Amino acid sequence: MSSVVRLTLAGLVAATLAACASAPAAPDLTPPPRRPVDAKTQLEYGNPPPPPPGRY
C-alpha cells in the first residue's frame, strides 16, 4: 500500500476513535418514582391502579 493510503486510513481510524470518545453518556432510562397516594391525588386522578403482578 502506498503511504498516502496508509495515512488516510490512520486518519479515519483516529477520527472514529475521537468521535466515540466524545459521545455523550447514555440517558438514564429508569422510570421516575411513583407519586404517593393522598386525597388530592385520588380526587384528581381517581384511585391508583393496582401494582403490577410479579414477574414469575
Side-chain angles (χ1 to χ4, degrees):
M1 287 202 306
S2 69
S3 62
V4 174
V5 174
R6 287 184 182 181
L7 185 60
T8 303
L9 288 175
L12 288 174
V13 169
T16 303
L17 289 175
C20 291
S22 63
D28 183 17
L29 298 177
T30 56
R34 293 184 63 149
R35 293 180 60 171
V37 179
D38 59 4
K40 182 178 177 185
T41 305
Q42 289 182 357
L43 287 175
E44 291 175 347
Y45 302 110
N47 288 330
R55 297 183 92 178
Y56 302 105

